[in-house]
Amino acid sequence: MSQVNERWRQPARDPDDDSPRLECGVFGIYDTPEASGITALGLHALQHRGQEACGIASFDGQRYHTERHMGYVGDAFGGGDLNKRLPGRVAIGHTRYSTAGGSFIRNVQPMFADLEAGGIALAHNGNLTNFHTLREQLVQEGSIFQSTSDSEAILHLIARSRRPKFLDRFTEALQQIEGGYALVAMTNKKLIGVRDPLGIRPLVLGDLKGKAVFASETCALDMIGATFVRDVEHGEMVVADDKGLRSFRPFPAQQARPCIFEYVYFARPDSVVNGRSVYEVRKRMGRRLAQETPADVDVVVPVPDSGVPAALGFAQEAGLPFEMGIIRNHYVGRTFIQPTQGERELGVRMKLAPNRAVLAGKKVLLVDDSIVRGTNSVRVVKMVREAGAAEVHLRSASPPIQWPDYYGIDMPDREKLLAANHSVEEIAKLLDVDSMGYLSVDGLYWAMEAGERNAAHPQFTDHYFTGDYPTRLLDKEIAQGRNELVERQLSFLVDA
């Protein structure tokens, strides 16, 4: 796809958090005792994909049960009575960080609907790029939405289908949505996993004592003691029911283009995504970064936690000491709850603390996984300098982020992306570092062991670095045609 101008506003985000956010992880398990308890464990492993809200839905053979909560999985589903609250042998779960739709309990998944053929619960990872268009059409034709989440549009499309069989209704709904997504759905007879036609968002199939498990990442399978079977392929729908496992292809064949940012930041390092170890890819990113942007320094220090494997690879390639010069406190909440700038600064220091014994008097090279707006980098560099570092150099283990995302990653508009508006030299001055360097796009593909990037048919979804979007962006195109500079209001209800 060609590059597009950035004018369409995205949802508000934490003004002090520079990390890109992915809005959710999904999990599902079929025909297993205490399915909701196992689902809670799976969601624990996927907590890094969304810390804002979580939910579980189960089916006990007659009725559906659901709980949805704001906050962490452990707080919501840590009690010993979970399997009594959510009984059944089939369950799906979701952990969320909002991109499409606001931070309200009514947007928390799984979402449930009573349909003509029975109930359905749905959990969705990703974003639909034609959600506003679909929603507008559905509302005009009489649909009543209870949320502002794009996931609800899928339920309406299933409900409106007149196909006689449920799988045909589900397929007809899928053929009307666009974007990047992985879905798990549960009916009174089936557990279904679906991946978008390009495989942008990840989904894996596992086996627990002969029963099917779906999860966003393999780390969730490891958590519950399940065996990895394979990735759900791009454009594939896998159905588990009393007939066993069946695979369907509801979309025309296309080349896969999985999201490369899963390897840069989102996936847990112990996960295997699309056949590649995330940890090994990140180490290779660091190795190539050392080759492309060497520095005369004394020590390599990661910006924890996601910068650790790349920093290790950099140090090994450059023959430099690797030290934990910054210590992260894992027991502190998000800093944007702090009401004043001074208190926010304290919040950052509560999260990250300098290890003065490593930093003082040294020429330090910091390695981070990526740099979005640079707000966090400014604070980290300042902290390292105040700890006595003689020099501070910064390296990004990914290429410059220059374009926003519309497939489930919460990134700012283009005018707020640091690398979209400044040269590398200007960025070094803004961040107060002695030198600045980024991994190249070619270097990232090298780290993926994918060969050279095919400009005509890229092997991965990489638009945040290249501006080459893998699908049309229908909602954005329509908004630009209407000269809309702000997102349309979807609901008049204000949640307390």
Side-chain angles (χ1 to χ4, degrees):
M1 300 290 290
S2 61
Q3 295 182 348
V4 291
N5 294 324
E6 171 52 28
R7 299 179 68 189
W8 189 50
R9 303 291 182 183
Q10 295 194 348
R13 57 179 280 124
D14 172 0
D16 291 307
D17 194 340
D18 194 36
S19 302
R21 297 297 187 105
L22 190 73
E23 93 277 21
C24 53
V26 296
F27 186 92
I29 188 163
Y30 180 75
D31 192 22
T32 300
E34 300 184 336
S36 58
I38 295 173
T39 298
L41 287 174
L43 294 182
H44 270 291
L46 299 173
Q47 184 77 85
H48 61 287
R49 300 185 72 88
Q51 297 89 48
E52 187 172 81
C54 54
I56 295 175
S58 67
F59 181 67
D60 66 5
Q62 292 184 319
R63 295 184 299 175
Y64 292 87
H65 307 264
T66 182
E67 279 191 28
R68 301 183 296 164
H69 301 272
M70 305 301 294
Y72 292 113
V73 175
D75 295 332
F77 299 116
D81 63 342
L82 179 60
N83 291 301
K84 293 181 180 179
R85 286 155 41 197
L86 297 168
R89 298 179 62 90
V90 186
I92 65 173
H94 188 270
T95 182
R96 180 175 193 266
Y97 175 81
S98 65
T99 53
S103 176
F104 308 120
I105 191 67
R106 59 187 165 130
N107 288 330
V108 179
Q109 300 181 42
M111 291 191 168
F112 175 81
D114 284 306
L115 306 181
E116 179 185 359
I120 178 174
L122 177 76
H124 167 214
N125 169 24
N127 265 13
L128 306 186
T129 54
N130 65 336
F131 164 56
H132 289 269
T133 305
L134 282 174
R135 191 182 197 276
E136 196 171 84
Q137 174 187 335
L138 288 165
V139 170
Q140 288 176 353
E141 295 175 358
S143 293
I144 299 173
F145 278 75
Q146 298 296 316
S147 76
T148 57
S149 170
D150 55 354
S151 310
E152 189 178 358
I154 303 171
L155 294 177
H156 284 281
L157 292 172
I158 296 170
R160 289 166 56 85
S161 174
R162 301 274 63 89
R163 299 287 182 87
K165 296 182 179 179
F166 173 79
L167 285 181
D168 293 333
R169 293 184 176 192
F170 195 70
T171 298
E172 186 174 68
L174 294 175
Q175 291 169 344
Q176 297 176 70
I177 64 177
E178 301 174 12
Y181 55 87
L183 306 174
V184 290
M186 175 181 66
T187 71
N188 58 357
K189 295 180 180 179
K190 306 178 190 302
L191 180 69
I192 305 169
V194 185
R195 203 168 171 197
D196 65 76
L198 298 178
I200 297 174
R201 299 267 68 87
L203 189 66
V204 298
L205 173 65
D207 180 281
L208 181 65
K209 299 178 180 178
K211 303 302 182 181
V213 183
F214 295 108
S216 291
E217 294 183 35
T218 58
C219 63
L221 303 180
D222 296 336
M223 175 69 80
I224 66 169
T227 302
F228 171 73
V229 176
R230 64 178 178 86
D231 290 283
V232 175
E233 296 183 13
H234 61 291
E236 182 184 19
M237 178 168 67
V238 179
V239 179
D241 57 18
D242 58 8
K243 299 177 182 177
L245 277 177
R246 292 175 289 160
S247 174
F248 300 88
R249 296 284 184 171
F251 310 105
Q254 297 189 56
Q255 174 190 319
R257 284 187 66 175
C259 173
I260 207 167
F261 224 97
E262 291 284 345
Y263 302 92
V264 171
Y265 179 78
F266 290 123
R268 256 179 44 170
D270 55 327
S271 284
V272 176
V273 178
N274 301 305
R276 293 175 172 87
S277 162
V278 174
Y279 179 78
E280 291 300 327
V281 169
R282 289 178 184 169
K283 279 189 65 178
R284 286 175 59 83
M285 289 161 57
R287 286 178 52 199
R288 182 60 178 255
L289 186 63
Q291 297 168 12
E292 294 183 351
T293 63
D296 178 18
V297 296
D298 301 317
V299 62
V300 176
V301 171
V303 178
D305 286 320
S306 50
V308 170
L312 183 58
F314 191 110
Q316 291 176 348
E317 181 69 20
L320 291 167
F322 169 89
E323 298 287 354
M324 297 302 293
I326 301 172
I327 308 302
R328 180 170 181 176
N329 182 353
H330 292 270
Y331 305 100
V332 178
R334 291 159 64 184
T335 56
F336 76 90
I337 62 172
Q338 310 296 334
T340 68
Q341 179 64 26
E343 288 172 325
R344 290 191 195 109
E345 294 285 352
L346 290 175
V348 172
R349 289 182 177 274
M350 289 172 65
K351 275 188 173 182
L352 300 175
N355 186 350
R356 296 177 185 275
V358 168
L359 303 172
K362 303 288 183 61
K363 293 186 287 185
V364 177
L365 185 133
L366 298 173
V367 178
D368 207 348
D369 60 88
S370 58
I371 298 170
V372 183
R373 294 175 303 162
T375 53
N376 190 59
S377 300
V378 168
R379 296 187 180 94
V380 170
V381 170
K382 180 181 178 183
M383 180 177 64
V384 172
R385 288 199 183 278
E386 290 177 349
E391 295 179 10
V392 181
H393 304 258
L394 181 61
R395 298 292 183 268
S396 167
S398 68
I401 297 173
Q402 303 187 66
W403 300 89
D405 181 80
Y406 299 95
Y407 304 99
I409 304 173
D410 184 13
M411 285 184 180
D413 297 330
R414 193 159 194 254
E415 63 265 22
K416 296 179 183 177
L417 294 171
L418 189 65
N421 299 282
H422 299 282
S423 67
V424 174
E425 293 75 18
E426 290 171 338
I427 292 171
K429 291 181 180 179
L430 289 168
L431 301 184
D432 190 27
V433 292
D434 294 279
S435 74
M436 177 70 212
Y438 288 89
L439 183 66
S440 67
V441 172
D442 289 340
L444 180 56
Y445 272 70
W446 177 89
M448 296 291 295
E449 298 181 304
E452 294 185 4
R453 183 181 188 271
N454 185 332
H457 302 285
Q459 300 93 310
F460 298 95
T461 290
D462 59 12
H463 52 274
Y464 11 78
F465 309 128
T466 65
D468 188 348
Y469 290 88
T471 73
R472 71 170 183 171
L473 304 173
L474 182 61
D475 286 344
K476 182 175 173 5
E477 293 167 5
I478 290 175
Q480 287 180 333
R482 294 173 174 174
N483 199 33
E484 294 177 352
L485 299 183
V486 295
E487 191 170 323
R488 280 167 276 171
Q489 181 170 333
L490 296 184
S491 176
F492 297 99
L493 176 65
V494 177
D495 290 76

